[in-house]
């Protein structure tokens, strides 16, 4: 995303560039829609500029760039051809939770991605999640609960740490909508719509799901026990 903030310390041009991972599907992108999970820092140049946009303001995005290969689940610069995990353990924290929907999209490639892929690329293997948040900054909770109800996650552990002593930055779930059916380069007009403020997580969202909620930080014992339950070979994905 290019944020046209004017003169700034990052370079001679009147904008800054920031990378975001959509939580929506590739099929949504082709239809001209995109959902982003954006953490707004008090001193964030791009995020505060984005927060101030109104519906139908111009916002410029480049084409999506693949950063993780499926089914090996490694970055482009560490690609390992021919690796097919028998299970996946996700260790995600904060805005790193956006890796979850992107990976789960490959379980339903026709509906989510709009394309047919070989079955061994569809990640029909056990996927466990350990997600860590501050209890006043928990993100994507409704969606995690829904993934569990659909049995898309085999085991899910939610770790909640204490609230930050100082005032936490606001969180906004930003929905980007473009009027064009296809998004190309940096030439499309986008609207920005805030979907509300996220704070003080309500654990009732997780009722009737298999989510285990622990008031603690991630530690070696928890990771070791989780890894021991995973069929081998297991790919561990860390994002935070």
């Amino acid at each position: 995303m290019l944020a046209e903030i004017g003169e700034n310390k990052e370079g001679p041009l009147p904008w800054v560039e920031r990378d975001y991972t959509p939580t929506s599907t590739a099929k949504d992108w082709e239809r001209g829609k995109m959902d982003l999970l954006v953490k707004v820092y008090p001193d964030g140049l791009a995020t505060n500029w984005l927060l101030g946009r109104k519906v139908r303001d111009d916002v410029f995005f480049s084409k999506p760039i693949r950063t993780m290969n499926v089914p090996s689940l490694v970055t482009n610069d560490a690609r390992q051809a021919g690796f097919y995990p028998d299970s996946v353990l996700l260790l995600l924290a904060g805005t790193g939770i956006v890796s979850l929907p992107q990976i789960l999209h490959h379980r339903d490639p026709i509906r989510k991605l709009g394309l047919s892929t070989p079955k061994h690329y569809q990640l029909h293997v056990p996927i466990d999640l350990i997600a860590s948040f501050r209890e006043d900054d928990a993100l994507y909770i409704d969606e995690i609960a829904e993934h569990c109800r659909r049995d898309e996650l085999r085991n899910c552990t939610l770790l909640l740490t204490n609230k930050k002593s100082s005032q936490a930055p606001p969180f906004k779930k930003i929905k980007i909508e473009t009027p064009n059916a296809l998004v190309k380069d940096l030439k499309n007009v986008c609207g920005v719509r805030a979907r509300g403020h996220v704070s003080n997580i309500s654990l009732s969202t997780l009722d009737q799901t298999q989510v285990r909620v622990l008031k603690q930080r991630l530690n070696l014992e928890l990771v070791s026990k989780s890894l021991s339950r995973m069929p081998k070979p297991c790919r561990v994905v860390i994002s935070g």
Side-chain angles (χ1 to χ4, degrees):
M1 182 191 76
L2 288 184
E4 301 177 282
I5 64 172
E7 184 177 352
N8 63 88
K9 297 180 180 180
E10 294 190 14
L13 300 177
W15 56 68
V16 294
E17 179 180 326
R18 296 292 186 268
D19 295 335
Y20 293 101
T21 300
T23 57
S24 51
T25 68
K27 199 169 185 179
D28 289 332
W29 172 269
E30 292 179 352
R31 291 173 175 172
K33 296 182 179 180
M34 179 171 61
D35 286 340
L36 297 177
L37 186 63
V38 179
K39 182 176 181 179
V40 182
Y41 290 95
D43 57 349
L45 298 178
T47 54
N48 278 281
W49 175 86
L50 182 61
L51 188 61
R53 297 309 93 197
K54 299 178 181 178
V55 174
R56 301 302 175 187
D57 280 355
D58 290 355
V59 181
F60 297 108
F61 289 89
S62 65
K63 291 181 179 180
I65 299 173
R66 182 174 64 178
T67 56
M68 184 178 291
N69 293 281
V70 176
S72 57
L73 295 180
V74 292
T75 56
N76 285 331
D77 59 354
R79 187 171 185 174
Q80 298 178 14
F83 179 82
Y84 301 102
D86 285 340
S87 65
V88 177
L89 175 61
L90 304 176
L91 305 179
L92 309 179
T95 54
I97 197 65
V98 295
S99 301
L100 175 61
Q102 288 290 322
I103 289 173
L104 292 181
H105 290 167
H106 291 274
R107 286 181 167 240
D108 189 2
I110 294 294
R111 190 166 64 92
K112 297 292 187 178
L113 306 176
L115 51 86
S116 177
T117 60
K119 190 172 182 178
H120 60 265
Y121 279 90
Q122 295 177 19
L123 288 177
H124 291 300
V125 299
I127 298 179
D128 288 6
L129 169 67
I130 300 178
S132 179
F133 304 104
R134 284 209 321 265
E135 58 185 4
D136 56 334
D137 291 343
L139 308 173
Y140 206 70
I141 298 302
D142 290 343
E143 291 83 354
I144 290 175
E146 185 61 26
H147 290 314
C148 290
R149 292 189 187 99
R150 294 176 181 174
D151 292 326
E152 294 172 327
L153 294 169
R154 187 185 66 165
N155 293 298
C156 180
T157 300
L158 178 61
L159 305 179
L160 296 178
T161 59
N162 294 332
K163 298 179 181 180
K164 193 175 182 179
S165 56
S166 59
Q167 185 177 2
F171 290 88
K172 297 287 183 178
K173 186 174 184 181
I174 303 295
K175 183 178 182 181
I176 306 296
E177 294 183 349
T178 66
N180 302 325
L182 295 176
V183 181
K184 296 181 179 180
D185 299 326
L186 299 173
K187 300 178 181 179
N188 293 287
V189 178
C190 302
V192 178
R193 182 179 303 159
R195 282 186 175 175
H197 186 79
V198 179
S199 63
N200 297 326
I201 170 179
S202 174
L203 297 182
S204 61
T205 304
L206 304 178
D207 289 347
Q208 308 304 316
T209 71
Q210 62 267 44
V211 179
R212 180 174 60 152
V213 179
L214 302 176
K215 290 290 190 73
Q216 66 175 70
R217 292 184 175 274
L218 185 66
N219 57 56
L220 180 59
E221 181 182 4
L222 181 58
V223 174
S224 298
K225 288 183 178 179
S226 299
L227 191 58
S228 68
R229 295 193 296 264
M230 308 302 296
K232 306 299 188 294
C234 173
R235 171 67 78 206
V236 180
V237 177
I238 304 173
S239 179

